[in-house]
Amino acid sequence: CIEKLNLLLLLFISLRDETKRIKLNKKKRRTKISPGECPPQSSGIKSCTTSCNCDSNCPNNEKCCSNGCGRYCTVPYEGIYVVVRRK
């Protein structure tokens, strides 16, 4: 009976340690999401280079934004843009 209790205790400790390890790995995989939004895309020439994949690749709370072809780090859009359309 004592052997079974020891075995159960050992199993419990192993499961608890494995659960802690999984939680730590999940925290490491989380990516940072910077505040604000990406600025509207311009209709000009687009660069198809990619300098980031997500916000956590960018410095200083910058956003990783698409330009329609590639991705780049930029200061988040937090205001109002006025778009002037030419006829």
Side-chain angles (χ1 to χ4, degrees):
C1 189
I2 291 178
E3 291 177 1
K4 287 182 182 180
L5 286 175
N6 285 338
L7 183 61
L8 286 174
L9 182 61
L10 190 62
L11 180 62
F12 172 77
I13 291 170
S14 296
L15 287 173
R16 185 191 64 193
D17 291 344
E18 183 66 12
T19 302
K20 284 181 183 178
R21 188 186 63 77
I22 290 170
K23 285 180 181 178
L24 284 174
N25 284 339
K26 283 183 180 179
K27 285 181 183 178
K28 287 179 186 176
R29 283 183 278 165
R30 288 186 186 151
T31 57
K32 170 188 82 168
I33 299 175
S34 298
E37 299 193 17
C38 289
Q41 293 181 13
S42 67
S43 59
I45 298 171
K46 299 176 186 336
S47 170
C48 292
T49 58
T50 298
S51 60
C52 60
N53 292 310
C54 59
D55 291 352
S56 58
N57 298 138
C58 299
N60 305 320
N61 285 330
E62 290 183 351
K63 302 283 293 174
C64 180
C65 300
S66 172
N67 67 2
C69 187
R71 297 189 69 79
Y72 65 101
C73 293
T74 187
V75 175
Y77 164 73
E78 295 177 355
I80 298 172
Y81 279 110
V82 176
V83 178
V84 177
R85 296 185 188 231
R86 296 183 183 169
K87 295 180 182 181

